[in-house]
Amino acid sequence: MGGTRGAARAYILTAAVGALSCVLPALGTGAGGPWATVGLLTGLYLVCELAGRCPFFGSSVPIGAGSFFPLLLAAAFLLPPAAAALVAIPGSLVGRVEAPPATARRVWRTAQLAVTVWAASSVHGLLGGAATLGGTGTGTDRLPDLPYALLPACAAALAFSLVLTALDGSILVAAERLPFRRAWSGLLSRSLGPHLVHGLAGLMMAVLWRGPYGPLSALIVLLPMYISCWVFAQYHREHTAHRATIRALVQAVDIKDTYTRGHSERVGQVSVLIARELGMDQDRMEVLRFAGILHDVGKLGVPTRVLRKDGPLTPQERRVIELHPEYGHEIVRGIGFLGEARAAILHHHERLDGSGYPYGLSGREIPEFARVVAVADAFDAMTSTRSYRRGRPVPAALEELKRCAGTQFDPQMVRALVRAVDRHGWSAATVAVTADEAMWRPRREGAADGGAGAVRGLVRPQPPDDPGAPGLQPSADRRR
């Protein structure tokens, strides 16, 4: 545990001592107990955790997924508290960890789960839960006392969730020095539902265990758990591949067009803010975020000399720039998970009055995602500080969007952004200036101003790709 903060190390050792005190009664001299059940449950949980380290099941499954918590809750229902806590220890000690220090994380996870299972078992026992499970494993003379058995089981699952999230938050305070409020923010609300479902699965496993089929019945519960674990691994692997694909494309654009570095991610964020105000469902919102992030991916097909040109573009260069939505659509055409995002990439430069490009669509002919991204794109362009100019204040940018609503932008999307900024605020971005961008170099002043002036001094480069303020003429808006 050498790489752990002193406070975190002390806290982990304290938790380990607490876990040891929970299991000691089961290990004491003369302590009786259902050791066959303890051994079988401990072995099953150990095998489950070892499976999590195998490439087929575990390479992509986050360790906090809690795929096998029903097994621990079944132990809490079937065993006395000390024996139930003992079940969690061997599996937790060998479980997979994804970040160093591995020893400290394993010790913490073991102590955390032992204390949590002990608490759940204690609550279950206090409410008389053992008597509601029915059968003894040798006959069917005693049936489970349903629905009363649900009460102690759900109370135990609630205790499991409360203790687990309390310990999760406290280690964040000790190890990461997070404020108390932030450390526990959202932990219980995200965990309570899954833990209650785990409790019901554990109850089913405990009832079957006590029934005529005994321990073999555990396989009835474990098999769907393994299947769900594998399915989640496949989903997680696919989602990781999606993120990697998008990250690679965005990095390629940022490398080629250094003046707008970070712009794509912010357009994705603003698009999500608008989508929330519109009441979009979560799946569409995620696809819209992808659309915002990838809206300028077509710049990969535009010559670098055009993107970074200091002076005004020729009509031919302007036509090349205006092809970037079509280039982008071609690049992402085969990426199936993007869905509606592909249309947004193609049409985000269309204008409501039909004067945009590439196809001159107007009004509702423009896809909804494209209308959202157009507003997000212009808003970030106006509020971002670049190496060649300061960003506009957020209120001024919103006023400009309102002025252009109905001609360039969809008024519904503009109103949604105004509400979102009023509700959540927005911090204007400052893009870091690289050495190349900050370099002073000579150029003709008239080249940027439309005149024919001679070289009069050293000035900073002019914007090669400002996504542009709304309402600008096409000549000034040419490189969005």
Side-chain angles (χ1 to χ4, degrees):
M1 294 194 292
T4 310
R5 293 180 186 273
R9 191 182 303 117
Y11 187 69
I12 291 171
L13 291 175
T14 302
V17 171
L20 185 60
S21 67
C22 289
V23 302
L24 274 179
L27 302 174
T29 305
W35 289 110
T37 301
V38 172
L40 284 171
L41 288 171
T42 302
L44 281 172
Y45 186 62
L46 178 63
V47 169
C48 289
E49 286 288 356
L50 287 173
R53 300 178 67 172
C54 295
F56 181 71
F57 285 111
S59 62
S60 298
V61 181
I63 213 145
S67 300
F68 305 111
F69 282 174
L71 188 55
L72 294 180
L73 284 161
F77 301 154
L78 290 166
L79 299 170
L86 196 59
V87 169
I89 292 177
S92 301
L93 285 173
V94 301
R96 179 169 59 92
V97 294
E98 297 189 355
T103 301
R105 289 179 182 275
R106 285 198 173 99
V107 171
W108 166 250
R109 180 172 168 80
T110 301
Q112 180 187 34
L113 288 180
V115 172
T116 300
V117 174
W118 179 89
S121 182
S122 298
V123 170
H124 190 257
L126 287 172
L127 295 176
T132 67
L133 298 178
T136 60
T138 59
T140 58
D141 53 317
R142 291 180 55 204
L143 296 176
D145 187 5
L146 295 173
Y148 180 72
L150 294 172
L151 177 60
C154 289
L158 177 60
F160 185 94
S161 188
L162 287 171
V163 174
L164 192 66
T165 54
L167 292 172
D168 277 337
S170 60
I171 194 62
L172 290 175
V173 172
E176 304 294 337
R177 297 180 180 175
L178 291 180
F180 283 91
R181 184 174 180 179
R182 183 179 169 193
W184 278 285
S185 177
L187 280 179
L188 183 61
S189 60
R190 291 193 301 267
S191 303
L192 184 57
H195 289 161
L196 288 174
V197 174
H198 294 157
L200 295 177
L203 176 62
M204 181 175 69
M205 185 174 178
V207 168
L208 292 171
W209 190 290
R210 285 280 191 91
Y213 300 104
L216 287 177
S217 63
L219 298 177
I220 299 175
V221 178
L222 287 176
L223 183 59
M225 285 165 54
Y226 269 112
I227 293 173
S228 65
C229 182
W230 181 81
V231 170
F232 182 79
Q234 296 302 107
Y235 167 78
H236 189 72
R237 201 173 286 125
E238 182 180 348
H239 198 63
T240 300
H242 292 173
R243 291 199 304 269
T245 300
I246 290 172
R247 190 182 308 115
L249 289 171
V250 171
Q251 285 176 346
V253 174
D254 283 349
I255 289 171
K256 185 163 187 174
D257 188 11
T258 56
Y259 286 89
T260 55
R261 186 176 296 121
H263 169 67
S264 298
E265 288 85 351
R266 293 191 300 274
V267 171
Q269 293 168 12
V270 177
S271 298
V272 168
L273 289 178
I274 296 173
R276 284 189 182 134
E277 293 298 321
L278 296 175
M280 283 189 189
D281 62 58
Q282 193 62 40
D283 290 341
R284 291 191 76 215
M285 203 180 301
E286 180 72 359
V287 175
L288 178 59
R289 186 175 70 87
F290 290 156
I293 291 173
L294 294 175
H295 73 286
D296 274 342
V297 69
K299 288 180 180 178
L300 293 174
V302 177
T304 305
R305 62 175 179 79
V306 176
L307 288 176
R308 299 187 180 184
K309 184 177 180 181
D310 291 345
L313 299 179
T314 66
Q316 183 179 2
E317 289 170 336
R318 191 176 306 130
R319 285 193 293 271
V320 170
I321 283 283
E322 291 179 356
L323 287 174
H324 83 267
E326 295 176 273
Y327 291 154
H329 186 257
E330 286 300 314
I331 290 171
V332 303
R333 181 193 293 272
I335 304 179
F337 69 86
L338 288 178
E340 292 180 82
R342 296 192 291 265
I345 292 167
L346 178 62
H347 296 296
H348 70 279
H349 281 300
E350 305 285 2
R351 297 168 61 114
L352 215 64
D353 60 7
S355 63
Y357 62 88
Y359 298 139
L361 302 184
S362 62
R364 295 291 169 173
E365 294 176 343
I366 306 171
E368 181 183 26
F369 277 20
R371 286 179 272 133
V372 172
V373 172
V375 172
D377 184 18
F379 176 71
D380 181 70
M382 287 189 288
T383 57
S384 298
T385 295
R386 306 272 169 77
S387 60
Y388 48 80
R389 59 117 174 103
R390 292 184 61 81
R392 295 190 192 187
V394 169
L398 292 176
E399 285 301 317
E400 184 69 9
L401 289 172
K402 291 177 186 177
R403 187 179 70 81
C404 297
T407 54
Q408 185 170 351
F409 303 116
D410 186 336
Q412 181 186 13
M413 309 308 172
V414 174
R415 288 194 298 268
L417 176 60
V418 172
R419 291 195 304 270
V421 172
D422 287 343
R423 191 190 311 270
H424 304 290
W426 180 257
S427 178
T430 301
V431 175
V433 181
T434 66
D436 290 340
E437 291 169 332
M439 185 179 296
W440 293 73
R441 53 189 171 139
R443 68 169 178 84
R444 294 183 181 274
E445 282 188 355
D449 300 330
V455 175
R456 299 178 64 181
L458 298 177
V459 294
R460 288 193 184 278
Q462 292 298 302
D465 182 24
D466 188 348
L472 295 178
Q473 297 300 318
S475 61
D477 196 33
R478 62 191 179 273
R479 306 184 195 196
R480 287 182 58 198

